[in-house]
Amino acid sequence: MKTIAEIKAIRDKMQAEIIDRDKSHNKDIRIIVGMATCGIAAGARPVFNTLVDEVAKRKLVNVKVSRTGCLGMCKLEPIVEVYTPNDGKVTYIRVTPEKILEIIDKHIVGGNVCTQYLVENE
Amino acid sequence: MRELSLHILDIVGNSVRAGATLITINITTVDNLLTIEIIDNGHGMSKELLDTVCDPFTTSRTTRKVGMGIPLFKMACQCAGGQFTIDSTRNVGTTVKATFLVNHIDRAPLGDLVSTMITLISEDIDYLLDYQVDDRRTIFDTRQVKQELGDIPIDSPEILIYIKDLLTENIITVNGGRNI
Ligand SMILES: Nc1ncnc2c1ncn2[C@@H]1O[C@H](COP(=O)(O)OP(=O)(O)OP(=O)(O)O)[C@@H](O)[C@H]1O
Ligand SMILES: [Mg+2]
């Protein structure tokens, strides 16, 4: 069995990085996944986990990922809200793990909103 | 929902909404009985609410008129020959307990419990996961992790990836080859 002892090494490494990152960035991008019954049943959990994996893999240190309850449009779940300094709040609907990878690539990293997944283009 | 771990994610969501700061998840499989218990220290429910909470039209949500989380979990449990109870005391907390017959044909698999934990872990709420199969056991306590982490947030993606590996390995070990 693994113990949490190894976490100290990761902490020390991250602490060193954080000192650098604070100079250049804040957590200025937020990605929020709706996680009430409707979202969970529609597949929000794999979307959330794909997001965590990809943000870690790409070392997107300015991105904060979190979850919330019902976003009020149960039929359009999984719903993901993205807040960026440039585009403000953007709401993506019927998100899948594949779509979230595309959203990270084009919107979060590339700065271009993935308009095909917006509610208005339903 | 296809996995019991998805129900767990959903039921714990209620605890989060109730302002819980500590949520205990006990999952115990002994022989043919699987027991899932979710205990929170949130604001609890009044007697009136508690009496109607298994009915799908009970919700305190404002975004829609039906609450489905508890009725769905209860159904998953009763379809698998189990029993469902919910206890709650105002300003003390709530305990949801469901049992399942492991080899029942209509029992949903536990599924990806690690993904559920990764989705739940956050800075402002503590989780105690006590996972047991027969005489094997692993305990994961975010309070211990946070103590080691100091001012690094537990929900940083790098830390979550580490926790994911740790939980995956430990749960496989505890399962000891049993399909749960
Ligand atoms: N742990 C808890 N603590 C306090 N109140 C709770 C708790 N669990 C459920 N409740 C109350 O019971 C209601 C019904 O819960 P249920 O999970 O069935 O539906 P919901 O959470 O309202 O909506 P949904 O689960 O469909 O997103 C909730 O709205 C809440 O008022
Ligand atoms: Mg609920």
Side-chain angles (χ1 to χ4, degrees), chain B residues 147-161:
Chain B
Q147 206 168 7
E148 298 295 339
L149 284 175
D151 55 4
I152 307 258
I154 192 168
D155 54 5
S156 320
E158 300 97 311
I159 300 296
L160 291 179
I161 300 291

Side-chain angles (χ1 to χ4, degrees), chain A residues 36-37, chain B residues 10-11 13-14 17 61 64 67-70:
Chain A
T37 308
Chain B
D10 185 29
I11 296 298
N14 289 340
R17 215 150 30 96
R61 291 195 175 289
R64 63 185 140 82
M68 289 302 295
I70 292 173

Side-chain angles (χ1 to χ4, degrees), chain B residues 11-29:
Chain B
I11 296 298
V12 171
N14 289 340
S15 303
V16 171
R17 215 150 30 96
T21 54
L22 176 63
I23 301 169
T24 301
I25 303 170
N26 294 324
I27 304 174
T28 307
T29 309

Side-chain angles (χ1 to χ4, degrees), chain A residues 2 8 11 37 45 67, chain B residues 3 10 116 119 148 170:
Chain A
K2 279 194 173 199
K8 286 195 183 108
R11 176 197 64 195
T37 308
R45 189 184 67 180
R67 107 198 110 76
Chain B
E3 299 178 11
D10 185 29
T116 285
T119 309
E148 298 295 339
N170 290 354

